[in-house]
Amino acid sequence: MHHLFVSGYHERYPSAKLLSTPKLVAKRTDLKFDYVMSRDDPNRSDCLAYLKQSAPLVDISLVQINQDGLDIVLHHKTTKVLISCDIAMEFDDEFSKAYSPMPPILKLYIKLFHKKPVSFTLPFKMMIDDPKQTLVDLDYLLTSYDFETLVVAHGKIVTQDARKQLSEGSREFVNEMVVNGETGKKNRIKVLVAVSATAAVS
């Protein structure tokens, strides 16, 4: 669930446990998180133990975005649903029609940055600092989990060929960075110039 909606959700379901990553905990000091997930967090085992006990049909994985940013991905085994936040975005014509009137800033973002379906958007080329690790994490999702549906925090739910679309979208996005020797740090100036130029002529 996107952090913007967590407060309202937790008010309605106060017994629900809140799980997050260190970066969001620092950002949303108004929320009290029960568990914090990171690769080197000593309390991670407590979180995994809780999930195993309370939600045995759910698997959990982390996808590295950058040094400070992790994406928590949940896999529900029986429904074959993969639930993510930022590992992909899906804005198509159906989404645009359903989300109408669309805020101008979102409309501009989609026009400028969403070049591939079910994928990271262009600004992630500035954010993914270790594309090799991100690729390893994505490959783990694609090879370890049996999913047919992908729920994303930004855009519409992917209900057809979700695994194939994630592979051809986000995985290929990151793989291109690896092949070309790109990192977020190297790309920042280049992407900012490209974004500025595109915005100027839009």
Side-chain angles (χ1 to χ4, degrees):
M1 176 180 290
H2 197 287
H3 69 88
L4 293 177
F5 306 107
V6 168
S7 182
Y9 179 89
H10 201 239
E11 285 180 8
R12 185 166 183 177
Y13 302 99
S15 62
K17 301 293 185 182
L18 297 186
L19 166 66
S20 185
T21 60
K23 187 175 182 180
L24 185 58
V25 171
K27 181 177 181 178
R28 292 298 306 269
T29 55
D30 57 312
L31 296 174
K32 183 181 182 302
F33 293 97
D34 299 282
Y35 297 102
V36 180
M37 282 287 287
S38 70
R39 293 189 190 279
D40 55 357
D41 189 340
N43 295 318
R44 180 181 177 185
S45 58
D46 295 338
C47 176
L48 294 176
Y50 166 76
L51 284 173
K52 187 174 181 180
Q53 179 182 6
S54 62
L57 296 177
V58 175
D59 295 313
I60 186 168
S61 287
L62 295 173
V63 176
Q64 189 82 34
I65 303 297
N66 53 39
Q67 184 175 1
D68 299 317
L70 287 167
D71 203 56
I72 296 176
V73 181
L74 302 175
H75 172 243
H76 192 263
K77 300 174 186 177
T78 54
T79 57
K80 299 184 178 181
V81 174
L82 197 69
I83 305 171
S84 69
C85 188
D86 289 333
I87 65 167
M89 301 182 190
E90 170 61 329
F91 304 113
D92 64 0
D93 292 338
E94 285 184 28
F95 175 83
S96 300
K97 291 176 183 177
Y99 195 15
S100 181
M102 184 179 292
I105 189 66
L106 178 57
K107 188 180 295 185
L108 181 62
Y109 185 92
I110 293 172
K111 181 179 180 181
L112 297 182
F113 306 141
H114 193 246
K115 304 303 182 185
K116 287 184 176 182
V118 195
S119 179
F120 289 113
T121 51
L122 183 60
F124 278 86
K125 279 188 174 284
M126 299 185 294
M127 298 165 60
I128 299 175
D129 288 333
D130 187 355
K132 290 183 179 179
Q133 181 60 56
T134 305
L135 188 63
V136 168
D137 293 340
L138 288 173
D139 279 340
Y140 179 82
L141 299 181
L142 290 164
T143 58
S144 300
Y145 297 150
D146 181 17
F147 63 96
E148 299 172 352
T149 300
L150 174 64
V151 178
V152 297
H154 306 279
K156 72 166 197 171
I157 296 174
V158 182
T159 57
Q160 293 185 339
D161 300 320
R163 181 194 301 277
K164 182 174 183 287
Q165 291 197 63
L166 182 62
S167 178
E168 294 178 352
S170 286
R171 189 198 181 280
E172 186 55 30
F173 180 100
V174 178
N175 188 56
E176 285 179 4
M177 291 184 67
V178 173
V179 170
N180 296 329
E182 299 176 85
T183 64
K185 186 175 182 180
K186 290 180 181 179
N187 279 335
R188 273 164 203 149
I189 294 178
K190 182 171 65 175
V191 173
L192 284 172
V193 170
V195 167
S196 300
T198 305
V201 299
S202 297

